[in-house]
Amino acid sequence: MWPVPVAAAATPPSQPAACVPFGTAQLPPGAPSGGGRLGLTNLPVFAGQSAPASVELRTPTTQFNRFSDFALVGRDLLTRPRSTGADAEPWRYVPMPECLRGRLIGISLDDDELVAIDDNGWIYTMDNASQDPILWNWTSAWGSPLWFAPGQQLPGENGNGWALSVSSPWDNQTFTDIAGRIHYVGLGKMTMLPALTGDGSRITFADPWLPNDDSYEIGGPLGGRFKSISLSAAGSTTFVMNRYGDMYTRSFDFDSSGSDSVFFRYSWDSQAGKPTAPNIVAELLDRSTAAIQLPAPDWIHQPKIPGEITSAISVNSIGPGPGQRELRVEGRRDGATGFWHKNLTAPDWEFTRTDAARLGTPVDNPSADRSNDTLAPPAPWHLSGDLPARDGSIDGQVLIDIGFPYSVVDPRLLDAVGSHAAPSGYRISVSHFDPAATSRAATVTAPDGTEIPVVLHTADGLRLFDTRAPGLDGEPRHLVGAVEVPRDAFDSRGDDPALESFVRDWMRGKQIAAITLSATDHDLVVR
């Protein structure tokens, strides 16, 4: 369901608890994970009988990392060292300010951070969750600038549809681009909180360094139309499932997807033949090394589970590196409860019996793919705009070539300062333009009226202070992107005079051409 564009509220309906305005989470990257226990025995022991015997799934009430289990029992947040069976230690109360105690209704944990949601939807972050308990501390701050905004409420209303995702330079260390090349996580970490919104086809994410306006999204599977009922995330990997047990995963973060040209270097061109930089600083400054190749990797359709499942899905990091993720889905086999699991790229699911009480709700899971059975309506915006002549002083490729942080430069700003671009005679049109999607089919119309099929790639622009509504409205939305001629057409362009002229004259002989663009609900400006 597409949101009706509305202006951001000037004053939120409430405020987060005021007793935790500052914490060490606001000073990334923190220390490497150590899993120490200093201060653990000073925490009061939980004497109740309702805490889980084991924690094997990451849900809004049960979480784990490599070192600790966490559970929300009623409104009490508990922890213990990660262990099972007879070796399990007692549950203890997590230390927290009194203003938070008894107010929490959901938790999520990744890497060294834990977030908790209170009864008004406000987000709180506990840092150093992979360190000694004596170092655990809380903050209510979230958002631009640099994690110092006063707070953020959880996007969406799906209780099983949100999670914290953290990639740190110590634990996850690296990620891969669409070409499979390794790149390094920044020293500021890669932190976001994706959440299902609307009918489940929209995945809004909150980022502690970005404006708290719910305008940033991960474009969902099947062009953003796949309706999810469950979401989990870890280490920049998002995992979703629909009502028929169809599942998709995607490696995505604001920083890795092309939007943060201040701290990361990107390119739409192939980086084949260039060496991988030894660290993030060298990659940003040494232009002889490989940049992050765009567009961002797409969703991967995961194999169906051969058995009973519930809505409780979970992904967790199992080691450093981009492929080190494990998927888990609660279910049953032969009448026994437990969870199905596999590594991210493994072809088959296995089952582990736990006999634990059910956390999710049963999900219909036919063996056939039902991904297309509950698609949301396509985006309502049909846009077109002139492609500029390529003899101007500034365009998307020039901004990349000179190393300028181009994801902050809206082409309408160039016009405003007098850097206009004449039309080239070519015009690009796209139907059902979803600004959250990474790639979509488009058409270039040549001066003689010939239509040329292309692919239009985009990534969101960088907004540090300006707030806006989701989707498109009358307020220009800045994106960066590229026009790509499909490989088969590019290789055979000699057989198509109109395409050959377009590639030679506008694409500058390349298969893919970088652009910067600005979209409203009625027009498109390209540079």
Side-chain angles (χ1 to χ4, degrees), residues 252 428 447 455:
F252 182 95
I428 190 167
V455 178

Side-chain angles (χ1 to χ4, degrees), residues 142-280:
W142 187 285
S144 177
L146 306 178
W147 211 325
F148 281 89
Q152 164 82 327
Q153 288 176 297
L154 178 70
E157 299 177 353
N158 187 322
N160 201 40
W162 65 276
L164 175 68
S165 169
V166 180
S167 289
S168 74
W170 313 126
D171 284 18
N172 295 120
Q173 300 178 5
T174 61
F175 61 93
T176 54
D177 62 19
I178 194 171
R181 185 186 291 271
I182 288 288
H183 300 275
Y184 292 88
V185 173
L187 294 178
K189 298 196 288 191
M190 294 160 60
T191 301
M192 66 175 178
L193 198 160
L196 300 178
T197 55
D199 60 3
S201 64
R202 315 307 301 174
I203 306 174
T204 300
F205 68 89
D207 184 303
W209 283 33
L210 297 177
N212 294 340
D213 59 6
D214 293 346
S215 67
Y216 282 102
E217 297 182 71
I218 303 173
L222 305 184
R225 299 178 62 192
F226 180 82
K227 289 185 179 180
S228 301
I229 62 168
S230 300
L231 178 148
S232 184
S236 302
T237 298
T238 303
F239 178 27
V240 295
M241 180 175 70
N242 73 356
R243 60 181 291 191
Y244 295 118
D246 301 296
M247 297 166 290
Y248 290 79
T249 56
R250 187 181 190 187
S251 175
F252 182 95
D253 185 86
F254 181 84
D255 294 326
S256 64
S257 63
S259 297
D260 185 2
S261 58
V262 175
F263 294 106
F264 293 82
R265 184 165 60 88
Y266 311 102
S267 178
W268 297 94
D269 295 320
S270 171
Q271 300 297 286
K274 293 185 177 182
T276 297
N279 55 62
I280 183 66

Side-chain angles (χ1 to χ4, degrees), residues 91-141:
W91 288 98
R92 299 174 182 271
Y93 289 92
V94 172
M96 67 178 65
E98 285 302 316
C99 66
L100 298 185
R101 195 169 300 281
R103 295 185 56 187
L104 305 183
I105 62 171
I107 57 173
S108 185
L109 169 71
D110 200 26
D111 205 299
D112 65 343
E113 298 173 22
L114 179 145
V115 296
I117 308 301
D118 73 9
D119 43 14
N120 286 316
W122 290 100
I123 299 169
Y124 303 89
T125 306
M126 190 192 82
D127 196 28
N128 297 324
S130 58
Q131 305 290 339
D132 297 279
I134 198 172
L135 299 176
W136 295 353
N137 67 96
W138 294 81
T139 180
S140 60

Side-chain angles (χ1 to χ4, degrees), residues 384-390 422-429 443-452 454 483 497-507 526:
S384 63
D386 290 325
L387 292 180
R390 302 308 296 269
S424 65
Y426 291 99
R427 189 170 181 85
I428 190 167
S429 303
T443 301
V444 169
T445 303
D448 65 358
T450 303
E451 293 187 345
I452 303 169
V454 297
V483 176
L499 176 58
E500 185 175 32
S501 295
F502 176 65
V503 170
R504 181 188 65 243
D505 299 336
W506 198 87
M507 300 286 291
V526 179

